[in-house]
Amino acid sequence: MNLSHSIFPISSLYVGDLHPDVTEGILYEKFSTAGPLLSLRLCRDTNTRRSLGYAYVNFNNSNDAERALDTMNFDLLKGKPIRIMWSQRDPSLRKSGLGNVFIKNLDKSIDNKSLYDTFSAFGNILSCKVAVDDRGWSKGYGFVHFENEEIAKKAIEKVNGMLLNGKKVYVGKFIPRAEREKQLGEKANMFTNVYVKNFKNDVTDNELHEMFSKFGNITSCVVMKTSDGVSKCFGFVAFDNPTSAVNAVNEMNGKEVDDQSLYVTRAQKKSDRQRELKRQYEQLKSERYSQCHGVNLFIKNLDDFIDDDRIRKEFSQFGTITSAKVMMEDGRSKGFGFVCYTSSEEATKAVTEMNGRMIASKPLYVALAQRKEDRKAYLASQYYQRYRMQQNIPYGPPNLPYVLPTISHGSRFYNTINHIRAAPRWASAAPIRPNGTYAASCPFRVTSRPSIPNNSNRNSVLARPITGQQAIAHSRPNSKYTANGPSNVTRPTAASMNNVGDSIPLNINSLASSPPPLDQKQVIGERLFSFVGTIYPELAGKITGMLLEIDASELLNMIDDQESLRAKVDEALAVLQAHQHKLVKD
């Protein structure tokens, strides 16, 4: 492949169709055989951290990237063929459609590799894909994007009308949907095929034909049946001109036939019908949100026995409620619900009065309801702001590529990607300064992830990570914590962490009254640290940091129940030991 290096100067590859179980380590092991890697990024969902099925691999030079593309494309990885193409940083090439070819009427046996092999004889291919459904089966069409328009025209001339696996294929220039609809104009709304349902199961093809023949000449008419020959009570009627079809829909839709109300409409492909239903749903959701915006409240941390009537009763004192609903699953409460008022003033008053109030045995969390996309955008912006405040972090956030410095050891190569794991619930995110200490802005979220070691002490660093107490001593030199543990915290011995002699009982109200500089998680963390230190003194800092990943309301409940807290501590210890064992083994 002699692809111009000026088009892709950074030697970056896109790797798609990845199996969900493929990790950064597997990809590094695969592609490092072609040459040294500059960086590697497996794209993941920001919420679940699950793989999105594609990655970007950057090589030090373009020759290694070309070698990987030529030799590894469509190789099996975890039993699934991967698809490699050049990463196009400029989207204008894709959006322009230049050199993009559409192929339809493909045999179901033709996959990405077969299509690539067929069209690669005409020139360099930027991308090649056969469209598949949710089960991975071919939809019978695909796309091939060539390096330039001349190669695409040559491929269309040679392949259009040829037999591929016994089927005559159509090959033509790709035209985007918006442009196709614009070209069709009024014809896009014209149709000749009519869908009919809700007739009796004894209606035959001839009777359906007779029912619609008065509207014009019918080219075909069929009642759909099961494999046993039983009518499905729907069918299709095709007219020879659009006018007859429109008249049939207008006349017959809703008409009573044999005490059955017919449903007659334009016949659509499944994809068109799904797109129309999605558009209607989005419109309905937008209208509903505009009506409830500023007056709909989200309530969580509800006890299991609280139902719609109870939540309506508790919130009715603040104004007129139009709806109150506790979300259920399999007959059990999911622990959250919604209350909608008639005015924003009533909703604001309810938030002010009810947020943090104890209902039954739990403090409520009450806030204005947000759309999922708005909430995700808000959380993402907060995450980005925290990241900008911690520019000394050696590892990038999940949405940035990981840098892969290689460490030579004889003829072997190691890289830090083997020590980067996906972040489960217990994953810590403490920023590490270049000197190995932890940033003071996050005193309790400690980690055993090492800074990049050199070749001489690599194994020793992995075997002896910084302990939690050392991290706290580094990160909070002026606090009441020392390298040997907390200096003046009374260890709890009763069944409740709120029985600590020199401490005020922790709850939502006491946290809300804390001084502004004092973070709620920090207050809870100090209480947790004193408890964990009595069980595992050497790991108190690490385990405390892991526990602080849990929601604050859950932590408050755990503080009141020593047994549940001890169980959570043991669970965190098991995760920590398993990770430590893996680091030492690697």
Side-chain angles (χ1 to χ4, degrees):
M1 177 179 287
N2 297 317
L3 193 60
S4 173
H5 293 181
S6 62
I7 301 178
F8 307 104
I10 59 172
S11 305
S12 179
L13 296 180
Y14 166 90
V15 185
D17 298 345
L18 295 175
H19 191 279
D21 295 338
V22 171
T23 63
E24 290 90 344
I26 294 175
L27 288 173
Y28 177 81
E29 184 178 354
K30 174 74 175 176
F31 285 93
S32 60
T33 58
L37 300 184
L38 181 63
S39 65
L40 184 151
R41 174 189 173 193
L42 176 63
C43 297
R44 298 180 179 274
D45 184 273
T46 54
N47 293 330
T48 64
R49 307 304 303 146
R50 293 177 180 173
S51 169
L52 294 175
Y54 63 94
Y56 295 93
V57 180
N58 298 322
F59 286 85
N60 280 327
N61 62 73
S62 58
N63 292 329
D64 295 336
E66 288 187 16
R67 185 183 305 112
L69 179 62
D70 291 336
T71 60
M72 299 180 184
N73 207 1
F74 309 112
D75 281 0
L76 292 179
L77 208 57
K78 288 281 184 179
K80 187 176 180 181
I82 61 176
R83 184 168 58 91
I84 307 175
M85 63 185 191
W86 292 104
S87 174
Q88 301 174 29
R89 300 299 177 97
D90 184 6
S92 60
L93 180 62
R94 298 194 305 271
K95 294 179 179 179
S96 67
L98 294 176
N100 204 357
V101 171
F102 171 70
I103 306 102
K104 70 177 181 178
N105 202 33
L106 290 171
D107 187 78
K108 300 293 184 181
S109 62
I110 295 180
D111 56 9
N112 293 331
K113 187 177 187 307
S114 303
L115 196 65
Y116 185 92
D117 292 341
T118 301
F119 284 90
S120 59
F122 300 100
N124 293 325
I125 293 177
L126 303 183
S127 68
C128 173
K129 184 173 180 63
V130 173
V132 296
D133 58 19
D134 297 337
R135 295 173 293 180
W137 295 353
S138 170
K139 291 184 177 180
Y141 65 90
F143 306 89
V144 177
H145 197 178
F146 288 99
E147 185 180 5
N148 55 59
E149 189 71 13
E150 289 72 20
I151 300 175
K153 290 180 179 178
K154 184 171 30 172
I156 292 173
E157 293 173 1
K158 296 291 184 180
V159 185
N160 187 32
M162 284 182 57
L163 292 177
L164 293 181
N165 285 14
K167 296 185 71 173
K168 186 177 180 179
V169 297
Y170 165 82
V171 183
K173 181 181 178 181
F174 169 73
I175 303 175
R177 179 183 297 276
E179 189 175 339
R180 291 200 306 271
E181 292 177 352
K182 185 178 179 181
Q183 291 176 356
L184 289 173
E186 294 183 357
K187 292 183 179 180
N189 298 321
M190 299 176 66
F191 62 94
T192 57
N193 199 10
V194 173
Y195 170 71
V196 187
K197 74 172 183 177
N198 285 353
F199 49 76
K200 289 188 175 181
N201 58 6
D202 58 354
V203 173
T204 63
D205 294 351
N206 292 333
E207 291 174 339
L208 189 64
H209 186 283
E210 184 179 351
M211 195 184 302
F212 285 86
S213 59
K214 60 182 179 180
F215 299 104
N217 186 35
I218 296 176
T219 58
S220 67
C221 179
V222 61
V223 174
M224 304 306 294
K225 299 177 181 179
T226 65
S227 57
D228 300 329
V230 179
S231 171
K232 294 183 177 180
C233 299
F234 72 88
F236 299 90
V237 180
F239 293 90
D240 62 351
N241 65 80
T243 305
S244 300
V246 171
N247 292 336
V249 170
N250 295 336
E251 227 13 79
M252 297 297 290
N253 187 36
K255 185 175 181 179
E256 294 285 338
V257 176
D258 296 332
D259 298 328
Q260 297 280 111
S261 180
L262 295 182
Y263 175 79
V264 184
T265 187
R266 173 185 182 177
Q268 292 178 297
K269 293 189 295 184
K270 183 178 180 180
S271 58
D272 295 335
R273 188 166 64 253
Q274 289 176 336
R275 187 163 52 251
E276 178 67 19
L277 291 174
K278 183 179 180 181
R279 186 190 64 78
Q280 294 177 1
Y281 172 76
E282 292 294 338
Q283 182 179 355
L284 180 63
K285 188 170 72 170
S286 177
E287 292 175 355
R288 188 167 60 243
Y289 178 76
S290 61
Q291 293 173 358
C292 299
H293 181 61
V295 298
N296 195 23
L297 302 185
F298 169 70
I299 302 114
K300 71 174 182 177
N301 207 31
L302 296 171
D303 263 320
D304 293 341
F305 63 85
I306 293 181
D307 56 9
D308 298 351
D309 294 335
R310 176 67 184 276
I311 199 174
R312 179 184 289 271
K313 178 182 177 181
E314 296 288 347
F315 282 83
S316 60
Q317 56 183 308
F318 304 105
T320 305
I321 294 177
T322 58
S323 67
K325 179 68 176 175
V326 174
M327 306 308 293
M328 309 289 287
E329 185 176 35
D330 298 330
R332 298 182 61 185
S333 171
K334 297 175 74 173
F336 69 92
F338 299 89
V339 173
C340 189
Y341 288 92
T342 55
S343 69
S344 58
E345 291 78 11
E346 296 171 346
T348 303
K349 185 177 180 182
V351 172
T352 305
E353 296 290 334
M354 295 298 290
N355 186 35
R357 179 178 293 187
M358 295 292 296
I359 300 296
S361 61
K362 293 184 178 181
L364 294 187
Y365 170 85
V366 184
L368 286 175
Q370 292 178 298
R371 289 188 299 185
K372 184 178 180 180
E373 52 268 27
D374 294 339
R375 188 167 65 253
K376 289 175 65 176
Y378 172 74
L379 293 174
S381 66
Q382 283 210 325
Y383 176 87
Y384 181 69
Q385 289 175 5
R386 287 197 301 269
Y387 173 71
R388 289 294 299 270
M389 295 173 63
Q390 300 168 350
Q391 287 295 322
N392 56 347
I393 302 176
Y395 294 95
N399 289 333
L400 295 180
Y402 291 115
V403 178
L404 304 178
T406 56
I407 305 154
S408 61
H409 183 72
S411 61
R412 301 177 62 186
F413 289 89
Y414 297 91
N415 72 333
T416 58
I417 193 126
N418 294 323
H419 313 302
I420 302 175
R421 59 187 178 93
R425 180 173 187 170
W426 295 118
S428 54
I432 309 174
R433 293 196 179 97
N435 62 4
T437 63
Y438 292 77
S441 60
C442 195
F444 286 101
R445 302 175 67 185
V446 296
T447 180
S448 62
R449 185 168 60 191
S451 56
I452 300 171
N454 57 36
N455 185 45
S456 61
N457 61 357
R458 175 179 182 272
N459 293 328
S460 62
V461 171
L462 292 180
R464 294 182 289 101
I466 299 175
T467 66
Q469 295 166 350
Q470 290 171 337
I472 292 175
H474 279 296
S475 61
R476 303 180 63 197
N478 298 323
S479 73
K480 61 185 176 182
Y481 291 93
T482 65
N484 295 322
S487 60
N488 60 347
V489 176
T490 304
R491 309 284 186 180
T493 56
S496 172
M497 286 288 295
N498 270 327
N499 292 333
V500 180
D502 60 349
S503 301
I504 299 173
L506 281 184
N507 53 47
I508 290 292
N509 295 329
S510 64
L511 286 179
S513 62
S514 300
L518 198 58
D519 183 75
Q520 292 184 3
K521 281 292 183 76
Q522 182 174 329
V523 175
I524 298 173
E526 292 174 353
R527 190 67 57 85
L528 290 174
F529 186 89
S530 64
F531 173 77
V532 179
T534 62
I535 310 173
Y536 306 109
E538 296 182 357
L539 300 174
K542 294 181 182 178
I543 294 177
T544 302
M546 296 166 73
L547 292 176
L548 287 175
E549 296 290 324
I550 303 174
D551 188 74
S553 60
E554 294 185 36
L555 288 174
L556 289 176
N557 293 331
M558 288 167 51
I559 287 175
D560 284 331
D561 185 355
Q562 184 178 355
E563 290 189 4
S564 67
L565 180 58
R566 181 183 288 272
K568 208 51 115 171
V569 170
D570 292 339
E571 182 182 345
L573 178 65
V575 173
L576 188 62
Q577 289 176 340
H579 177 58
Q580 193 76 358
H581 177 72
K582 182 177 182 297
L583 289 178
V584 175
K585 184 178 179 182
D586 291 342

